[in-house]
Amino acid sequence: MTRGKESPSYESVLGTIGFESGRHYWEIKIDEYGNEADIFVGVAKRDTDLNKLNSTRTPHEQAFGWIATGNMLHIGGKVQRILFGGYSKIGAVVGILLEFVNGEGQLTFYRDGENLGCPIKNIPAGCYYPCLSLFDSSYYNV
């Protein structure tokens, strides 16, 4: 996903394949970004309104993930500013592992192959899609 130097905004996409059981892993690479970048990686349900999904201002109750450039977690309608994973920089490869255990989902995050931990557990049962949401006041390329 690439965005040029336009007015500040969020842009979000969902993957095309949803998951409701098993283990699933995917990665993004942060090629570049400008100032004030939020890069949300995680999962969301198919009926999530992508026009309203963003990482910090109005979190969506059907989205779960990590703001990889902002040291925050987005957990089903709440944004928690906690010390998790630090800040991802240009060139970083961010990995996301979605696992279902006893019907509930959990997310483990990786950066450049290093396991950062599993900060999000107890995601309600359902079908979830990989999700990427980006905000930037200048440009990005992932």
Side-chain angles (χ1 to χ4, degrees):
M1 177 183 280
T2 301
R3 183 164 103 53
K5 296 180 180 180
E6 300 167 7
S7 62
S9 67
Y10 282 91
E11 296 183 24
S12 305
V13 295
L14 288 180
T16 57
I17 299 172
F19 308 110
E20 53 190 321
S21 64
R23 293 170 46 103
H24 310 279
Y25 180 84
W26 61 95
E27 295 180 337
I28 67 155
K29 181 178 181 200
I30 302 171
D31 292 327
E32 62 181 326
Y33 62 83
N35 56 5
E36 297 183 44
D38 286 341
I39 300 176
F40 167 89
V41 293
V43 296
K45 289 192 171 182
R46 171 58 68 200
D47 59 350
T48 299
D49 183 349
L50 295 180
N51 293 318
K52 293 182 179 177
L53 174 65
N54 64 45
S55 53
T56 58
R57 294 194 175 104
T58 56
H60 201 287
E61 66 277 353
Q62 297 186 104
F64 301 83
W66 175 41
I67 301 167
T69 53
N71 211 24
M72 292 180 279
L73 295 175
H74 180 135
I75 304 174
K78 297 177 184 169
V79 172
Q80 298 179 7
R81 192 175 293 272
I82 65 165
L83 295 177
F84 173 79
Y87 295 89
S88 298
K89 299 183 181 343
I90 293 172
V93 175
V94 176
I96 303 95
L97 174 65
L98 170 64
E99 296 181 273
F100 290 89
V101 178
N102 299 323
E104 293 183 322
Q106 59 186 36
L107 290 170
T108 301
F109 297 98
Y110 298 80
R111 184 176 44 245
D112 298 326
E114 176 187 355
N115 184 334
L116 300 175
C118 180
I120 301 175
K121 298 181 180 179
N122 306 316
I123 297 172
C127 187
Y128 292 88
Y129 294 77
C131 182
L132 176 64
S133 182
L134 306 166
F135 172 84
D136 197 331
S137 61
S138 57
Y139 61 90
Y140 56 71
N141 187 27
V142 295

